[in-house]
Amino acid sequence: YRVYDADMPEYSMAIDLYHDWVHVQEYAAPKSIDPEKASARMFDALAAIPQALNIDKSRVVVKRRERQSGTKQYERQSAQGKFTEVSEGGVKLLVNLTDYLDTGLFLDHRPMRMRIQKEAAGKRFLNLYCYTATASVHAAKGGAR
């Protein structure tokens, strides 16, 4: 679940909870924000997150999102190759919290995946925008051919 999404401009980050892992994405501060203040706020947030969510700090993954160009967003950032299993709508999915900027499971797309699953029975489903096939998995769970 997304528990925080830059709701306060001073704390420009998204905080997602994947079972017993926290995925923090810091949005690059605009040039109008003092970089030292932005950095201090980020450190304050990172100190508070494990305590607020009752999760060990070793299970907090932090990434920085900046304006991307070309395919840079999809480049590998690490080679740990560790996957975490999560459940959603009766299906099990794997997410990689460390190796890429994105985890592969876009939490804001959950309502659409649930709708696809609900309406898929007996239908043919072609996922033209497949990134990690989560929509396809939900279509199959819903009975798509």
Side-chain angles (χ1 to χ4, degrees), residues 20-88:
D20 57 350
W21 284 88
V22 179
H23 187 256
V24 179
Q25 299 173 76
E26 177 188 17
Y27 300 120
K31 294 183 191 303
S32 61
I33 301 294
D34 177 4
E36 287 183 31
K37 284 185 179 179
S39 180
R41 289 178 182 140
M42 183 64 178
F43 284 120
D44 288 345
L46 290 176
I49 289 168
Q51 187 174 13
L53 297 175
N54 196 29
I55 290 182
D56 190 272
K57 64 182 177 181
S58 67
R59 291 186 164 271
V60 177
V61 178
V62 181
K63 297 178 185 164
R64 183 177 176 87
R65 294 194 81 92
E66 297 176 348
R67 194 173 285 275
Q68 304 291 328
S69 61
T71 60
K72 187 177 178 185
Q73 177 176 349
Y74 305 106
E75 291 176 2
R76 185 180 291 270
Q77 297 183 334
S78 177
Q80 294 182 33
K82 293 192 306 188
F83 291 87
T84 300
E85 184 179 288
V86 296
S87 297
E88 175 186 89

Side-chain angles (χ1 to χ4, degrees), residues 98-117:
T98 58
D99 293 358
Y100 297 92
L101 184 59
D102 295 316
T103 65
L105 182 63
F106 299 99
L107 301 181
D108 56 332
H109 296 180
R110 179 183 291 133
M112 182 54 69
R113 291 190 295 269
M114 296 298 101
R115 181 176 177 183
I116 289 168
Q117 183 175 327

